[in-house]
Every structure is written in C-alpha cells, then in structure tokens.
C-alpha cells in the first residue's frame, strides 16, 4: 500500500515538442478493471508455447487482447539464454550477498553454473537465499535499510521480471513512471510540466508513502499477482523471495512485510501493488469525483497531483488518507503532505 502514483495519458498530455517524452506520456485508453475474484479459471490458450519465435511477444499480445486473462505457463520463458542475458546485465562491481559469490567468480564457469541454475529452477529445487542487510544514509539524516541479494537470486529475479513485464507493461497506467522499461525521471518531470501548463492546474499536492517497500502487505500482493499469473511455479518463486528473510550481524530474521529490496523483483512487485491499490483508484476518483481538471504523476513512492479546484484537492487528500489508513493498522502510511507552488498563479495545499 505504500507506493507511488502518476498521471495517466489523458490527464497529463505530452509536450509535442519533445518526441521522446510524447512516446512516454502518450494517451492511455481506459481499461476494464480486473475482476476481484482471483480464483476464476484460467483462460485457455495463453501459455505462449515454446514454438513461437519470440514467446514474450505472444504473451504481450495476449495480455493486451484480454485484460482478464491469467497466464498458466510462464516459467518456461525463463530459459538458459534469458538467464545468461540476466547475468550479463548485472553490475560486475556489485557487492556480494550472503553467499559471498561475486559476479566475476560466478562467471569463471558461467555456462555450467547457469545450466545448473536452470535445472534447479525448473525442477523446483531452487532456494532463495536471505538478503544481506546494509544501510545507506538518507537526506534527512536517517538510515535507509537495503538488502543485498545473492548473485543467483539477482539473476533469476531479473529473468522473471523480464517475462512478467510482457504482461504488466500492458496493464500499468500511463501516469506510472518509476522502475519501468524506457521511462526515466526526466520523462516523469516532462509529463508533469506538460500537465501543469496545458491543463487548468491551480492547486498542487505532493506526497509520498511512508515505508512502502518495508511495510507492503505480502498477502495482498500475492492476491493482486493472481489476477494475471496462473502459473503456480512463478507464484511460488515470488513467495520464496518474499519469505527468504534477511541476515544482519550474523542473525537471520524473517520478513513478514515488504518486498525483497536489493533484487530486480522488488520494483516490479511494488508497481503491481500500487497499480491495484493507488493508480486505478486515482483514475476512478478523477473520472467520478473531479469537478475540474486533474493531473497525477507517480514515481516510486512519491506522487504529485494537480487540481483545478481547491475543493477537489482537499477531497482527494481526505479520501486518499482514508483509503490508506483503512489498510494500515499503524495509521495512515501517508506522510504529512508537502506543498509546492510551480508558478505565481498556482497555489499550494498544505495540511497537517
């Protein structure tokens, strides 16, 4: 529940002068919401079999055609070539995880290591290792906890994320920018600027979601994933990463909340969670309740929302706080709203 939001294409128009930006902030069609019953039967014919030249193209096309489809055969796309590409995409200088294995050491016998990993992965004997806990300083002086994943976990997560992106890049709304292929921070800023100056925006709310990556509800995350993923092997893989725990000071501790930070899966899982909890809700709120123009741009757990009317701004924040508080036993995960003013005619909103 603790993640980022951004404005979809109909809310934030692209600046036509910037060709790259327009490709990112292009209008997004209204999509039918996924049905709440994740236990419905999987649709037949969506396994994207191995005879296709590029299986992920078939997965993507099927996901685009049927927004309710559940994909029952995905793991076979995590093949040896995809694992090899995932390994080569990792940083050779990245710190080692709890196994102590570095990128260079694993690469000394790369093909044999990848073949063994592929065999274990498809035999169900692959085991996720705990993350090694590390801390980095934040701008406010506090320390941000990070998890350093073992090298093989990084490889598998990156390969699985590539497969799942074929589905979720079709589903995600246009105002979601963080951690998505082909979308950079400048694209989000460009979309925000275009929205502010091309729409009637007089009130701007800036907010972020407290401790999103460490407090995300894993049970709800799995329910959201089951809307699209019917392959139990992939779901078990994700559960292994979520339950692997962390090692700190030589002691293992479980991770009943949050996503496995330090690996490639965490950003995608966070976006899936926010897609269902925040993004679709914000789009529905705009369509049903906004009396004037409204824009929203989300990057990770930060989002900016612009309104034509002060009443819309106040009501949106009130409804947003109520929505998040109702799902958090510790109170609202929203930090106190920070206000910004982008131009002299645009006033800010600030509530305590």
């Amino acid at each position: 529940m603790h993640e980022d939001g951004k404005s979809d294409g109909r809310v934030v128009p692209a600046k036509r002068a910037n060709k790259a930006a327009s490709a990112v902030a292009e209008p997004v069609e209204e999509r039918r919401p996924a049905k709440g019953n994740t236990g419905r039967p999987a649709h037949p014919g969506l396994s994207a079999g191995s005879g296709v030249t590029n299986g992920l193209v078939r997965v993507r096309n099927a996901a685009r055609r049927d927004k309710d489809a559940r994909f029952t055969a995905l793991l076979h796309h995590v093949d040896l070539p995809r694992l090899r590409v995932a390994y080569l995409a990792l940083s050779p200088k990245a710190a080692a995880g709890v196994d102590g294995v570095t990128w260079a050491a694993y690469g000394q016998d790369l093909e044999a290591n990848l073949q063994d990993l592929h065999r274990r992965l498809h035999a169900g004997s692959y085991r996720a290792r705990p993350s090694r806990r590390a801390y980095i300083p934040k701008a406010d002086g506090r320390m941000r906890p990070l998890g350093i994943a073992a090298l093989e976990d990084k490889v598998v997560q990156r390969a699985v994320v590539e497969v799942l992106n074929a589905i979720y890049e079709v589903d995600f709304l246009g105002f979601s920018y963080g951690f998505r292929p082909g979308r950079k921070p400048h694209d989000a800023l460009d979309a925000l600027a275009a929205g502010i100056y091309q729409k009637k925006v007089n009130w701007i709310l800036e907010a972020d979601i407290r401790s999103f990556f460490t407090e995300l509800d894993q049970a709800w995350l799995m329910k959201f994933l089951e809307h699209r993923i019917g392959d139990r092997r992939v779901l078990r893989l994700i559960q292994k990463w979520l339950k692997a725990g962390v090692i700190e000071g030589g002691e293992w501790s479980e991770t009943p909340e949050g996503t496995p930070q330090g690996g490639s899966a965490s950003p995608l899982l966070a976006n899936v969670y926010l897609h269902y909890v925040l993004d679709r809700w914000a789009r529905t709120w705009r369509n049903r309740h906004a009396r004037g123009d409204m824009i929203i741009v989300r990057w990770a757990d930060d989002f900016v929302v612009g309104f034509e009317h002060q009443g819309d701004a106040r009501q949106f924040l009130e409804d947003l706080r109520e929505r998040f508080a109702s799902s958090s036993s510790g109170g609202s995960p929203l930090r106190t709203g920070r206000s910004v003013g982008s131009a002299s005619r645009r006033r800010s909103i600030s509530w305590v």
Side-chain angles (χ1 to χ4, degrees), residues 21 42 46 92 105 122 128 152 162-163 235 266 272 282 298 307 322 335:
L46 295 178
H122 289 267
E152 282 195 339
E162 183 181 354
V163 173
L235 294 173
S266 183
V272 170
R298 176 174 72 81
F307 305 88
E322 180 180 350
R335 294 177 182 172

Side-chain angles (χ1 to χ4, degrees), residues 240-272:
K240 288 180 180 181
W241 298 329
L242 294 175
K243 301 302 182 184
V246 297
I247 297 286
E248 183 175 2
E251 297 290 329
W252 178 86
S253 59
E254 64 177 346
T255 49
E257 298 178 320
T259 59
Q261 297 184 62
S264 300
S266 183
L268 173 64
L269 297 179
N271 271 336
V272 170

Side-chain angles (χ1 to χ4, degrees), residues 78-192:
V78 185
D79 53 17
L80 191 60
R82 202 172 304 283
L83 290 172
R84 185 182 302 110
V85 170
Y87 165 80
L88 295 173
L90 297 176
S91 170
K93 299 180 180 179
V98 295
D99 57 353
V101 177
T102 64
W103 186 89
Y106 196 83
Q108 289 179 1
D109 198 4
L110 180 61
E111 289 307 311
N113 287 333
L114 290 179
Q115 288 174 11
D116 179 63
L117 175 60
H118 179 265
R119 178 189 60 77
R120 288 182 281 120
L121 188 62
H122 289 267
S125 58
Y126 160 83
R127 295 292 180 267
R129 292 177 177 267
S131 297
R132 180 167 65 84
R133 177 72 80 207
Y135 294 88
I136 60 173
K138 298 176 66 174
D140 59 7
R142 296 181 297 166
M143 302 298 289
R144 179 191 301 275
L146 292 179
I148 301 176
L151 189 130
E152 282 195 339
D153 292 332
K154 293 179 181 177
V155 172
V156 176
Q157 287 185 31
R158 182 176 285 270
V160 170
V161 164
E162 183 181 354
V163 173
L164 296 186
N165 273 339
I167 299 170
Y168 287 110
E169 279 302 300
V170 173
D171 289 356
F172 290 156
L173 302 186
F175 58 75
S176 167
Y177 284 84
F179 312 121
R180 293 181 60 186
R183 295 193 169 207
K184 307 261 188 317
H186 281 91
D187 298 321
L189 292 173
D190 188 33
L192 180 61

